[in-house]
Amino acid sequence: MRVIILGGDGFLGWPTAMALSQRGHEVMIIDNYFRRTACIRQDIPPLFQTQNMHQRAKAWHERSGRQIKVCEGDICDYGFLKGCFEAFAPDSVVHYAEQPSAPYSMLGQKEALFTLQNNLSGTLNLAYVVRETNPDIHIVKLGTMGEYGTPNIDIEEGFIDIEHKGRKDRLLFPRQAGSLYHTTKIQDTDLLYFYVRVWGLRVTDLMQGPVYGLFTDEMGDDARLTTFLNYDEIFGTVLNRFLVQAVAGIPMTVYGQGGQKRGYLNIKDTMQCVTLAVETPAARGEMRVFNQFTETFAVNDLANMVRDAAAAVGIKAEIAHVPNPRVEKEEHYYNPAHRGLRELGLQPNLLTQDVLARILEQIVNYKSDIRHDIIMPKTTWK
Ligand code: USQ
């Protein structure tokens, strides 16, 4: 297949490009370097440097003999996006090109507006470009489990059958976001579902939980192919943050009581899920929704697991409960379904002491580069 990856320079975008290329797909990556620019502007660098898109594609070619086409630009620029689609003629597009951080979206009005405009304009442009260039193109959209929030009932995969006053219907599962960023993801889902109904687009919405890990099979031990490791409060996700904190000797920052449960997955499983979705497209006029995670944990569970894994490699890690900067439930029911991707063939890489130890070993190499001043949360929801 021919696949365009929007956000192909990102934490997930670049590893996805290699994973699909390795399987013989023709890949083009598009990115406007938002993540790199935001990290410079906010002064929150990743733990180690990564190569830019051109350098990465060159290194990948040297390693694999395969080509990844590179296009630098902003998908909010409709003319640019359309030009890429016309030139490459994809069968499928993976859409990661969004502002992905909940704290970033809560920094202030400017960042909230950017998140709203960037995420919704990009998704709208994508729907239009698919309709105008080839409505058969399968859109694989990265959604988030955070769209559902933490309701006091089981969470279904995308839709729920409801009986109300004697009548039945199948409707989108209720959404209640915990940040402006998560709210834009709800709006994305609504936008795409609208165009599925009206234009008969084919869409897969992947409702992903927080991702941890660094390594994918395609990287091997080639330092030129690594992805970002952010550990700051804005772009760092919780488990990667805890691992860096453990190495730095900083008590792990559990927000509030730490009973917040989420569905987590290894970055390797993101690769599997996206590949499965691309290779088994949704039908025309189908809005297919998968909940993309492999295990649920409370924040306290993660902190305890990191403490134990660190102890096993001779690092004494401590746990702190810091005031929660977010507005979220700290104790709650959480039972989301996640059958669809397993049925397509997902073989989960679960969170083990070995997995944690391997990431810790990598982080130890950069211990002296860890910036202690970017760890504590400063961005509050209120
Ligand atoms: N948390 C801590 N301590 C920390 C950092 C986070 O206790 O130092 C807690 C948060 O309060 C939250 C949980 O850990 O309850 C997860 O936080 P996170 O920062 O790892 O994840 P989140 O902000 O929800 O966002 C991340 C990605 C986002 C994706 C989302 C999936 O940045 O792109 O959509 O995970 S989900 O969480 O299912 O919505």
Side-chain angles (χ1 to χ4, degrees), residues 127 130-131 135 139 192 195-196 199-203 283-286:
V130 165
R131 180 205 186 207
I139 299 174
L192 289 175
Y195 289 122
V196 163
W199 293 339
L201 299 187
R202 48 172 101 224
V203 173
R284 281 296 296 269
E286 183 188 6

Side-chain angles (χ1 to χ4, degrees), residues 21-82:
S21 173
Q22 182 64 37
R23 287 180 66 83
H25 300 296
E26 294 292 321
V27 176
M28 170 189 268
I29 54 176
I30 300 179
D31 206 295
N32 65 350
Y33 289 129
F34 161 75
R35 171 69 159 261
R36 292 176 191 261
T37 315
C39 286
I40 293 170
R41 288 196 180 140
Q42 300 292 332
D43 191 24
I44 44 174
L47 187 54
F48 41 81
Q49 290 300 316
T50 52
Q51 308 258 299
N52 68 35
M53 284 194 284
H54 298 284
Q55 295 165 322
R56 284 171 154 179
K58 187 163 170 280
W60 175 244
H61 179 61
E62 283 165 17
R63 181 178 161 83
S64 69
R66 298 174 193 278
Q67 302 274 2
I68 290 178
K69 285 207 164 58
V70 172
C71 238
E72 187 190 332
D74 188 344
I75 69 162
C76 294
D77 173 348
Y78 187 67
F80 162 76
L81 186 66
K82 196 165 178 220

Side-chain angles (χ1 to χ4, degrees), residues 126-256:
L126 175 60
Y128 262 90
V129 88
V130 165
R131 180 205 186 207
E132 291 193 5
T133 58
N134 173 11
D136 245 353
I137 296 170
H138 177 209
I139 299 174
V140 177
K141 168 74 173 67
L142 193 76
T144 165
M145 286 298 293
E147 291 181 38
Y148 303 124
T150 52
N152 197 30
I153 57 172
D154 289 356
I155 295 172
E156 304 302 329
E157 287 198 270
F159 295 88
I160 184 167
D161 296 314
I162 294 186
E163 188 169 346
H164 180 63
K165 295 186 178 173
R167 305 186 69 82
K168 289 183 187 165
D169 207 344
R170 187 163 184 263
L171 302 170
L172 276 183
F173 193 90
R175 264 90 167 140
Q176 40 187 350
S179 74
L180 189 273
Y181 152 73
H182 287 99
T183 302
T184 65
K185 303 292 275 195
I186 296 175
Q187 294 168 319
D188 280 341
T189 298
D190 262 333
L191 264 180
L192 289 175
Y193 188 32
F194 173 66
Y195 289 122
V196 163
R197 296 194 304 271
V198 175
W199 293 339
L201 299 187
R202 48 172 101 224
V203 173
T204 300
D205 203 0
L206 297 173
M207 311 292 278
Q208 184 170 251
V211 178
Y212 60 85
L214 273 183
F215 309 107
T216 63
D217 296 339
E218 293 72 25
M219 289 171 196
D221 53 8
D222 192 332
R224 300 170 304 169
L225 300 177
T226 51
T227 193
F228 302 109
L229 176 52
N230 285 102
Y231 58 97
D232 60 90
E233 60 135 357
I234 304 281
F235 289 117
T237 49
V238 60
L239 185 53
N240 282 356
R241 270 169 63 73
F242 285 178
L243 290 159
V244 173
Q245 292 166 0
V247 170
I250 300 167
M252 285 178 270
T253 54
V254 172
Y255 294 168

Side-chain angles (χ1 to χ4, degrees), residues 170-373:
R170 187 163 184 263
L171 302 170
L172 276 183
F173 193 90
R175 264 90 167 140
Q176 40 187 350
S179 74
L180 189 273
Y181 152 73
H182 287 99
T183 302
T184 65
K185 303 292 275 195
I186 296 175
Q187 294 168 319
D188 280 341
T189 298
D190 262 333
L191 264 180
L192 289 175
Y193 188 32
F194 173 66
Y195 289 122
V196 163
R197 296 194 304 271
V198 175
W199 293 339
L201 299 187
R202 48 172 101 224
V203 173
T204 300
D205 203 0
L206 297 173
M207 311 292 278
Q208 184 170 251
V211 178
Y212 60 85
L214 273 183
F215 309 107
T216 63
D217 296 339
E218 293 72 25
M219 289 171 196
D221 53 8
D222 192 332
R224 300 170 304 169
L225 300 177
T226 51
T227 193
F228 302 109
L229 176 52
N230 285 102
Y231 58 97
D232 60 90
E233 60 135 357
I234 304 281
F235 289 117
T237 49
V238 60
L239 185 53
N240 282 356
R241 270 169 63 73
F242 285 178
L243 290 159
V244 173
Q245 292 166 0
V247 170
I250 300 167
M252 285 178 270
T253 54
V254 172
Y255 294 168
Q257 295 174 53
Q260 303 92 309
K261 294 197 189 89
R262 302 287 184 269
Y264 291 85
L265 74 166
N266 191 310
I267 188 170
K268 289 184 175 182
D269 290 343
T270 300
M271 301 303 107
Q272 280 195 70
C273 293
V274 172
T275 303
L276 287 166
V278 165
E279 292 180 357
T280 53
R284 281 296 296 269
E286 183 188 6
M287 178 80 184
R288 186 173 62 160
V289 184
F290 293 128
N291 292 348
Q292 183 163 311
F293 66 94
T294 57
E295 297 170 279
T296 56
F297 297 107
V299 173
N300 285 328
D301 301 331
L302 299 177
N304 290 334
M305 290 170 84
V306 172
R307 184 194 51 205
D308 296 347
V313 294
I315 298 170
K316 186 170 167 13
E318 286 172 21
I319 299 172
H321 286 265
V322 303
N324 195 338
R326 307 183 182 197
V327 176
E328 61 184 356
K329 289 182 200 148
E330 294 177 6
E331 290 296 340
H332 57 91
Y333 180 78
Y334 199 60
N335 188 29
H338 56 126
R339 285 178 294 271
L341 287 159
R342 289 300 295 269
E343 283 165 13
L344 279 187
L346 168 66
Q347 303 284 334
N349 289 281
L350 299 179
L351 186 58
T352 61
Q353 295 285 305
D354 281 353
V355 168
L356 291 170
R358 173 122 199 267
I359 306 171
L360 284 167
E361 278 163 17
Q362 175 78 352
I363 293 170
V364 165
N365 295 330
Y366 298 93
K367 182 173 176 178
S368 58
D369 295 329
I370 298 172
R371 285 257 310 263
H372 289 221
D373 61 313

